[in-house]
Amino acid sequence: KQEVTQIPAALSVPEGENLVLNCSFTDSAIYNLQWFRQDPGKGLTSLLLIQSSQREQTSGRLNASLDKSSGRSTLYIAASQPGDSATYLCAVRLVGPGGTSYGKLTFGQGTILTVHP
Amino acid sequence: DTGVSQNPRHKITKRGQNVTFRCDPISEHNRLYWYRQTLGQGPEFLTYFQNEAQLEKSRLLSDRFSAERPKGSFSTLEIQRTEQGDSAMYLCASSFPFGGYTEAFFGQGTRLTVV
């Protein structure tokens, strides 16, 4: 059974700091990995998706890396802003029969990020 | 708005009542997923449709839960005889596996409170 763990559970940083969120997964047979942002009481917003053959993806101030063999992904946020305050969720999609993807995502519990001015 | 749409956004119901939620996926997406999220936890998979076929159901989906996706378009999730433990955010997502690139897009969720 795939298990996804996110560390730390919560993080509070001053504005402008660079930070790293960690995600680890137990089954390395993943199809892809997706990072999401969730604001309180809201749905999930997709931030980055990394295919299993990729090492990293970048979008603006966000950079996500993937080390499939060690079962780890990191989300790097540069020059953090108060508007980045949210819960960040990591989710993996397993490889299914024939090398295709299963439909479902397995999520970690999230990292609650607070960026204070 | 061309995103995933969920209705209602909030639902308060008395224990023992039945409730039904609706999800309208992104129009060209053939895959649709339901997840449940309780406070402080990540979403947990409930069920998955490809077009109108329900291909996978989690053990979390007890016999009080039923999901449908008639004609492969919108989907409904019904909970019968609600219990307080059903209180959660119910999230719907859709995707289209274009060229092997499968990215899920989520709706805003339906917050269920059972009193």
Side-chain angles (χ1 to χ4, degrees):
Chain A
K1 177 188 172 186
Q2 175 74 276
E3 293 183 0
V4 180
T5 304
Q6 291 187 244
I7 295 174
L11 183 62
S12 180
V13 301
E15 182 176 5
E17 193 161 298
N18 301 326
L19 55 99
V20 174
L21 308 181
N22 296 291
C23 171
S24 62
F25 46 93
T26 55
D27 187 341
S28 61
I30 66 168
Y31 190 82
N32 57 33
L33 181 147
Q34 207 166 345
W35 282 94
F36 295 89
R37 168 187 173 136
Q38 186 174 33
D39 293 294
K42 304 292 185 181
L44 278 63
T45 299
S46 180
L47 298 174
L48 290 165
L49 182 145
I50 310 179
Q51 296 290 84
S52 62
S53 58
Q54 296 176 323
R55 297 285 294 182
E56 65 179 80
Q57 280 285 344
T58 299
S59 176
R61 294 182 294 107
L62 305 180
N63 175 276
S65 67
L66 174 64
D67 184 343
K68 199 172 68 167
S69 61
S70 67
R72 293 180 185 174
S73 176
T74 61
L75 180 66
Y76 175 83
I77 303 176
S80 57
Q81 303 170 358
D84 294 331
S85 298
T87 297
Y88 290 80
L89 292 155
C90 157
V92 298
R93 186 177 280 108
L94 289 179
V95 176
T100 60
S101 70
Y102 279 104
K104 67 181 179 183
L105 289 163
T106 301
F107 284 85
Q109 291 184 310
T111 294
I112 302 171
L113 173 64
T114 303
V115 181
H116 48 88
Chain B
D1 186 353
T2 57
V4 178
S5 177
Q6 292 189 246
N7 288 288
R9 293 290 309 279
H10 304 274
K11 179 71 177 179
I12 301 175
T13 190
K14 292 183 178 180
R15 189 174 52 185
Q17 297 294 305
N18 299 344
V19 294
T20 300
F21 311 140
R22 176 179 171 125
C23 171
D24 288 273
I26 294 172
S27 60
E28 64 269 25
H29 287 189
N30 63 342
R31 293 181 174 180
L32 186 146
Y33 319 83
W34 285 99
Y35 292 82
R36 180 172 69 186
Q37 185 179 27
T38 53
L39 202 61
Q41 302 296 315
E44 295 177 294
F45 171 79
L46 292 178
T47 190
Y48 156 54
F49 290 85
Q50 182 156 311
N51 300 312
E52 67 275 7
Q54 189 173 20
L55 296 186
E56 187 173 352
K57 292 169 58 175
S58 164
R59 283 174 291 179
L60 292 175
L61 214 65
S62 75
D63 56 5
R64 296 185 298 106
F65 288 71
S66 63
E68 294 182 342
R69 192 182 182 197
K71 302 178 184 178
S73 56
F74 70 92
S75 176
T76 58
L77 178 67
E78 181 183 16
I79 309 175
Q80 297 181 326
R81 305 181 303 280
T82 52
E83 303 173 354
Q84 287 188 323
D86 297 332
S87 295
M89 174 78 89
Y90 290 84
L91 294 162
C92 175
S94 69
S95 71
F96 180 78
F98 177 74
Y101 187 84
T102 300
E103 181 174 4
F105 295 88
F106 281 75
Q108 291 297 299
T110 294
R111 168 74 66 187
L112 173 66
T113 303
V114 181
V115 298

